[in-house]
Amino acid sequence: MTGSVLGHSTVLLNLRGLIVLTDPVFSRRVGLGIPPFILGPKRHYAPALAAKELPAPHVIVLSHAHFDHLDVWSLRRFSRQTPIVTADATGDILRRHGFRRIHELGWGQSVEVVTEAGPVRVTALEVAHWGARLMRDVHRGYNGYLIERDGCRVCFAGDTAYTPAFQRLRDPGRPLDLMLMPIGAYDPWIHAHCSPEQAVAMTRQSGARALVPIHHLTFKLSSEPMHEPAERLRAALAEQPPALLASDLGETFRVPLG
């Protein structure tokens, strides 16, 4: 299993030849409006790769409807036939832009997506966040995901504050190969975004053997310095498990499978 950290929560995963793309965001700004007139945060760093430079994803996984995770202008760069797994009550946003192969999941629900590269199983996980895109659409869901394919087990945590829910993934017989865990935007939003130390704690509770941090080094969403989350993460690991496979934008990584 290999992967590339493209920026914010966008990660390209190659699961034995099946390409999964998480929360694809390639736009210069995210928020309300139509490019180039977007009201919202501006990128501090360009994506490590442009959408046109990527292999066509077999599956796109979306954690929730916030603009920095579900960016329709980035999604429109991919085929409308691409299967998308998304949170409950978010498919309407995608259908308005022509996507039809949409799987909406609530916590605990699973779907097996059959692709030309083979099947992949995706299960929605409980996280501590919220899903409203605007002020009043509080009915929208928000998920992490367990992604399983031919012996590979990856948890994409999406966006979350600290929660003990990831302990449910712990399985000594089939440990997680990789955790994609957010580490930024915690100051002062600790009620919605975990700190780097909490990210490490949740990863250890899940039993994951390796960690790649997401949700940092791209958009200025909070008060902490841009490079602080990765620095605190490295200090929290202190050469103890899990293995840190990548901590910077643009890094590629290989996950040794058990």
Side-chain angles (χ1 to χ4, degrees):
M1 185 199 323
T2 60
S4 298
V5 180
L6 303 182
H8 203 51
S9 298
T10 308
V11 178
L12 183 76
L13 293 170
N14 186 326
L15 306 181
R16 301 191 190 276
L18 189 147
I19 305 299
V20 177
L21 188 63
T22 67
D23 286 358
V25 176
F26 299 93
S27 300
R28 291 183 65 250
R29 287 188 182 273
V30 290
L32 287 168
I34 299 175
F37 306 107
I38 298 290
L39 296 175
K42 181 181 179 180
R43 297 187 83 99
H44 280 243
Y45 297 96
L49 293 171
K52 64 183 179 182
E53 298 176 297
L54 303 181
H58 295 105
V59 179
I60 293 173
V61 175
L62 302 176
S63 59
H64 61 299
H66 290 177
F67 286 98
D68 61 323
H69 293 262
L70 198 166
D71 178 41
V72 295
W73 310 111
S74 295
L75 289 168
R76 285 164 62 99
R77 302 179 191 187
F78 300 103
S79 168
R80 303 303 196 277
Q81 299 305 311
T82 306
I84 298 180
V85 179
T86 189
D88 189 42
T90 57
D92 59 301
I93 302 169
L94 304 169
R95 285 188 286 272
R96 286 200 296 267
H97 292 269
F99 291 94
R100 292 292 179 267
R101 299 182 65 187
I102 301 166
H103 305 276
E104 293 182 277
L105 299 181
W107 295 345
Q109 295 181 326
S110 299
V111 63
E112 184 172 78
V113 183
V114 178
T115 77
E116 61 186 23
V120 59
R121 185 172 184 82
V122 183
T123 302
L125 305 175
E126 177 182 350
V127 296
H129 201 57
W130 83 102
R133 191 166 178 83
L134 301 171
M135 293 293 291
R136 298 183 179 179
D137 55 345
V138 294
H139 64 287
R140 298 193 187 279
Y142 46 99
N143 296 336
Y145 295 100
L146 175 63
I147 304 169
E148 299 175 284
R149 148 81 170 165
D150 196 17
C152 303
R153 300 183 79 230
V154 178
C155 177
F156 167 53
D159 213 349
T160 187
Y162 177 79
T163 171
F166 291 100
Q167 296 180 38
R168 301 169 191 161
L169 296 176
R170 192 175 192 91
D171 183 349
R174 297 183 61 213
L176 284 174
D177 297 299
L178 175 65
M179 174 69 81
L180 302 175
M181 179 64 77
I183 63 168
Y186 47 81
D187 181 12
W189 317 118
I190 194 68
H191 65 283
H193 300 103
C194 63
S195 69
E197 294 81 8
Q198 290 171 331
V200 170
M202 288 188 286
T203 301
R204 286 174 173 157
Q205 290 164 10
S206 76
R209 297 186 296 111
L211 166 65
V212 169
I214 57 174
H215 202 269
H216 70 124
L217 273 182
T218 306
F219 298 103
K220 183 66 173 173
L221 302 175
S222 51
S223 297
E224 76 269 5
M226 292 287 281
H227 290 272
E228 180 182 283
E231 292 169 359
R232 286 176 56 173
L233 178 76
R234 287 189 287 266
L237 287 168
E239 299 183 359
Q240 298 296 317
L244 179 63
L245 300 186
S247 62
D248 206 354
L249 191 153
E251 287 192 83
T252 58
F253 56 89
R254 180 178 295 276
V255 183
L257 300 177

